[in-house]
Amino acid sequence: MFRSKNYKEASKLIDKSVTYDPQEAFKLVCEASKVKFDETVELHVRLGVDGRHADQQVRGAIVLPNGTGKTVRVLVFCKPERVDEILAAGADYAGGLDLVEKIQKENWFEFDTVIASPDMMGVVGRLGKVLGPKGLMPSPKAGTVTPNLAQAVQEAKAGKVEYRLDKTNIIHCPIGKVSFGADKLFENYAALIGAIIKAKPASAKGQYIRSCVTASTMGPGVKINAQKQL
């Protein structure tokens, strides 16, 4: 695999054979950032569960203490009489069938998060095949299907992230930007890993957190000792 000069330089700072304490890991991620843009820092957590079984699914959402550093565009599906209220709460777009048709006919996806009131899910369900693969389908478990739309919009804008297992039983989640610095990244990490631990299924056996790695957008991975999470 081709690796850029910046990547090779960054890799010299990190010992691949070492599992670092969390604070040290985030310090290294920041030091290893050699590009001219503010990279996103992600966490990748491999769990000792089998997501093919419904009772071993791990999924939820949390508002990170320091946000994600990203400007989140929020679309809300609601009844017409609530549109003005929801836009005033901070949503970028609000509506009903008009937005469904815009997505279907124009392939419009100028948004990052979708929230819906429960009474709109019959309409939103028509978009399952297009929103689902993009990870945008509203879900009660993620708090994006709720009657309290204003609060959901504010949480999304404040840096709410959803975590869920992929097919290989790994959770991939952004926890901030390199510009946050090690301390703020650690605070976000601690909140997320704490939520993942609390979400441990009762049926999970053996070691729950198998591995934990953090990396910036263009940087090398740094292994974290997740047993020292808090």
Side-chain angles (χ1 to χ4, degrees):
M1 183 184 294
F2 172 77
R3 295 296 192 188
S4 68
K5 182 180 177 181
N6 284 336
Y7 184 95
K8 291 174 182 175
E9 285 295 314
S11 295
K12 292 176 183 177
L13 298 170
I14 297 157
D15 187 338
K16 292 286 187 184
S17 66
V18 173
T19 300
Y20 294 92
D21 284 353
Q23 290 96 329
E24 180 69 12
F26 293 115
K27 184 179 176 184
L28 285 169
V29 165
C30 294
E31 289 176 358
S33 179
K34 304 292 185 183
V35 296
K36 294 180 180 178
F37 66 94
D38 193 8
E39 295 178 89
T40 295
V41 177
E42 288 200 338
L43 195 67
H44 309 278
V45 186
R46 181 185 293 277
L47 298 181
V49 297
D50 187 346
R52 292 174 299 178
H53 300 289
D55 63 349
Q56 292 194 40
Q57 273 293 327
V58 178
R59 182 179 183 181
I62 183 172
V63 177
L64 297 176
N66 301 300
T68 62
K70 179 181 177 183
T71 300
V72 180
R73 299 167 298 177
V74 179
L75 181 153
V76 178
F77 287 105
C78 61
K79 294 293 186 182
E81 60 270 18
R82 299 194 67 185
V83 168
D84 289 344
E85 168 205 345
I86 302 310
L87 291 175
D92 297 272
Y93 310 100
L97 197 56
D98 54 330
L99 293 178
V100 171
E101 291 178 351
K102 186 175 176 68
I103 292 168
Q104 289 176 325
K105 295 177 181 178
E106 300 176 25
N107 199 30
W108 175 71
F109 288 100
E110 298 296 316
F111 48 87
D112 307 295
T113 297
V114 180
I115 297 167
S117 55
D119 56 8
M120 291 299 292
M121 286 308 293
V123 174
V124 180
R126 303 178 195 180
L127 297 172
K129 289 183 179 179
V130 290
L131 294 182
K134 294 179 180 289
L136 291 170
M137 193 66 185
S139 155
K141 285 186 178 179
T144 47
V145 176
T146 173
N148 195 343
L149 296 174
Q151 181 182 335
V153 169
Q154 288 158 7
E155 288 179 347
K157 290 287 187 178
K160 187 175 186 177
V161 293
E162 183 181 355
Y163 57 88
R164 62 190 299 181
L165 289 175
D166 68 7
K167 291 180 180 178
T168 59
N169 300 315
I170 299 175
I171 289 172
H172 308 275
C173 201
I175 56 168
K177 297 282 188 178
V178 166
S179 61
F180 282 22
D183 289 345
K184 285 187 176 182
L185 288 171
F186 171 73
E187 289 170 4
N188 280 357
Y189 157 83
L192 177 60
I193 206 78
I196 291 171
I197 290 169
K198 285 181 182 176
K200 179 181 178 180
S203 57
K205 306 296 182 186
Q207 186 177 355
Y208 180 52
I209 296 182
R210 296 285 176 85
S211 67
C212 186
V213 176
T214 185
S216 60
T217 307
M218 304 293 288
V222 182
K223 291 188 282 188
I224 294 177
N225 179 2
Q227 305 311 315
K228 292 189 176 181
Q229 72 274 7
L230 300 172

